[in-house]
Amino acid sequence: LCLQNSMFTILRRYSQGVLQEVYSKHELLLMAEAIKIVYSAWMISKGLPEGKTLTQQLVYLIQTSRKMLVLALIYGAMNILSFISLRNISASVFTIFAQCKILTTATFSTIILKRQYSWTQWRALIALMLGVLLFSEPIWGNPNQSANRKGNNPILGTAAVLIEVTLSGFA
């Protein structure tokens, strides 16, 4: 999953930011999800319980997964936001901002789930995020990584990735 997400981010940024290819992000997302559904159905078919058909198992899974609809919609919105951000900021800047998911997830788990974190745990989360930022420091001032090309809007890209990070923490 990590490799898939990393490659998806890099390829989207390269195709839209560097090559300036024009295609429908909605169609691309639809195709990516269709591929995932077909792969998932194939994996389910390999481990079917005795006496159940693939169709019966898929219908059962759809009926029992209704509560996941809100999360699926949030996931779809996050994918669209990542397209907007990667069109306007570089993949390295996107990755740096994406590290805020750690803090937003912890914050939402505190607010929604009433989870308690000690100050030591909060410091560890912040230190982890700062460590990632320091590790990626060499790319901050790299002019080759700049996404400020003609037609790009870094403010829009940054806002999109921050909204995506917030949605991710909520989900």
Side-chain angles (χ1 to χ4, degrees):
L1 185 60
C2 181
L3 177 64
Q4 177 220 347
N5 286 334
S6 298
M7 290 303 297
F8 194 51
T9 299
I10 291 168
L11 289 174
R12 282 184 298 166
R13 174 64 190 145
Y14 181 72
S15 70
Q16 288 191 326
V18 175
L19 298 178
Q20 299 293 316
E21 294 178 333
V22 179
Y23 50 84
S24 169
K25 60 184 168 255
H26 304 291
E27 290 174 5
L28 179 67
L29 290 173
L30 181 64
M31 286 306 300
E33 295 306 313
I35 290 169
K36 289 178 189 176
I37 289 171
V38 169
Y39 179 74
S40 297
W42 177 69
M43 291 299 291
I44 290 170
S45 72
K46 291 176 66 171
L48 284 174
E50 189 68 34
K52 271 202 160 181
T53 66
L54 179 60
T55 305
Q56 290 172 329
Q57 185 69 14
L58 291 176
V59 167
Y60 168 76
L61 289 173
I62 290 169
Q63 289 174 343
T64 58
S65 300
R66 288 187 185 140
K67 56 188 162 195
M68 300 299 287
L69 181 62
V70 173
L71 294 176
L73 293 174
I74 290 173
Y75 176 72
M78 288 170 46
N79 275 329
I80 292 169
L81 287 168
S82 71
F83 269 97
I84 293 168
S85 61
L86 285 169
R87 184 178 295 142
N88 291 289
I89 60 176
S90 69
S92 55
V93 172
F94 175 86
T95 303
I96 291 168
F97 277 112
Q99 297 310 308
C100 293
K101 289 179 183 180
I102 297 166
L103 289 179
T104 58
T105 302
T107 302
F108 277 114
S109 72
T110 300
I111 294 168
I112 296 172
L113 303 175
K114 306 289 188 222
R115 167 125 191 205
Q116 297 292 318
Y117 293 103
S118 68
W119 284 110
T120 304
Q121 290 171 317
W122 280 110
R123 284 194 310 266
L125 289 169
I126 292 169
L128 177 63
M129 192 178 87
L130 291 174
V132 170
L133 292 175
L134 289 175
F135 180 75
S136 57
E137 185 269 333
I139 59 176
W140 294 350
N142 187 346
N144 295 332
Q145 291 286 330
S146 177
N148 203 7
R149 293 182 179 85
K150 186 197 249 182
N152 288 5
N153 185 344
I155 295 172
L156 176 64
T158 302
V161 74
L162 289 176
I163 293 169
E164 177 190 355
V165 163
T166 303
L167 287 174
S168 175
F170 175 75

